[in-house]
Amino acid sequence: MILADLGPKPAPWPGLGRALLAAVLLAPGVAWWAVHRGAHALVWPDLHSALMSLVLAPCLEEAVMRCAWQPGLLQAALRRGCSARRADLAAGAGAAVAFALIHLDGFSVGALLRCTPWLLPGGVLALAWCWRRRLSDCVLLHAYFNALLALFSLR
């Protein structure tokens, strides 16, 4: 398990664990939507590609998002006087948008529309971090989402 100091202790969120479980159960539908919308096929032509999307990408992206970006947004919101929960929500929303934008495949209105399916997993990953502040939770969820995308990309 990866444990690190990732900011202040999480604010108590009754029911957040159940909401995350529901998101995990709904993730196959979101992955199907993302793939069949025509924007996000994830194909593994070889073992190297599979390892990149199941291990390297989740570890690297989540380390950046949850160890730097989201805590930075959280600290900024707290400095502005937001309550802990409101600061968590603001940081999570900012992290979800950033997560979607790093998956842009171009610079056009169409590319922006194609990255909208990434807002939902980005939001789930941000909430998972808000729940327990564990990078390992986010990495495992990210790998799960990538595996579902690859599964629904099979033709």
Coordinates of all heavy atoms in Angstrom, one line a residue, residues 3 6 24 46 52 59 81 92-93 97 103 122-123 141:
L3 N 1.4 4.9 1.1 CA 0.9 5.9 2.0 C 1.8 7.0 2.0 O 3.0 6.9 2.0 CB 0.8 5.3 3.4 CG -0.2 4.2 3.7 CD1 0.0 3.6 5.1 CD2 -1.6 4.7 3.5
L6 N -0.7 13.4 2.2 CA -1.3 14.0 1.0 C -2.2 15.1 1.4 O -3.3 15.3 0.9 CB -2.1 12.9 0.2 CG -1.2 11.8 -0.3 CD1 -2.1 10.7 -1.0 CD2 -0.2 12.3 -1.3
V24 N -17.9 2.3 -8.8 CA -17.2 1.2 -9.3 C -18.1 0.2 -10.0 O -17.8 -0.3 -11.1 CB -16.4 0.5 -8.1 CG1 -15.9 -0.9 -8.5 CG2 -15.3 1.4 -7.6
D46 N 0.2 -5.2 -27.8 CA 1.3 -6.0 -27.2 C 1.3 -5.8 -25.7 O 0.6 -5.0 -25.1 CB 2.7 -5.6 -27.8 CG 2.9 -4.1 -27.7 OD1 2.5 -3.5 -26.7 OD2 3.6 -3.5 -28.6
M52 N 1.8 -0.4 -19.9 CA 1.7 1.0 -19.8 C 0.4 1.5 -19.3 O 0.3 2.4 -18.5 CB 2.0 1.6 -21.2 CG 3.4 1.4 -21.7 SD 4.6 2.5 -20.8 CE 4.2 4.0 -21.6
C59 N -0.1 4.9 -12.2 CA 0.8 5.3 -11.2 C 1.3 6.7 -11.4 O 1.3 7.5 -10.5 CB 2.0 4.3 -11.1 SG 1.7 2.7 -10.4
G81 N -10.5 30.4 2.9 CA -11.5 30.3 3.9 C -12.6 29.3 3.7 O -13.6 29.3 4.5
G92 N -11.5 18.6 -5.8 CA -11.9 17.4 -6.6 C -12.5 17.8 -7.9 O -12.2 17.2 -8.9
A93 N -13.3 18.9 -8.0 CA -13.8 19.3 -9.3 C -12.7 19.8 -10.2 O -12.6 19.5 -11.4 CB -14.8 20.5 -9.0
V97 N -11.6 18.0 -13.8 CA -11.4 18.8 -15.1 C -10.0 18.6 -15.6 O -9.8 18.4 -16.8 CB -11.8 20.3 -14.9 CG1 -11.4 21.1 -16.1 CG2 -13.3 20.4 -14.6
H103 N -6.4 14.1 -21.1 CA -6.7 13.1 -22.0 C -7.2 13.6 -23.4 O -7.8 12.9 -24.2 CB -7.7 12.1 -21.4 CG -7.2 11.3 -20.3 ND1 -7.2 11.7 -19.0 CD2 -6.5 10.1 -20.4 CE1 -6.6 10.8 -18.3 NE2 -6.2 9.8 -19.1
G122 N -12.6 10.8 -13.6 CA -11.8 11.8 -12.9 C -12.4 12.3 -11.6 O -11.8 12.4 -10.6
G123 N -13.7 12.5 -11.6 CA -14.5 12.8 -10.4 C -14.4 11.7 -9.4 O -14.3 11.9 -8.2
L141 N -8.1 2.1 -8.8 CA -9.3 2.5 -9.5 C -9.0 2.9 -11.0 O -9.7 2.5 -11.9 CB -10.0 3.6 -8.8 CG -11.0 3.3 -7.7 CD1 -11.4 4.5 -7.0 CD2 -12.2 2.5 -8.2

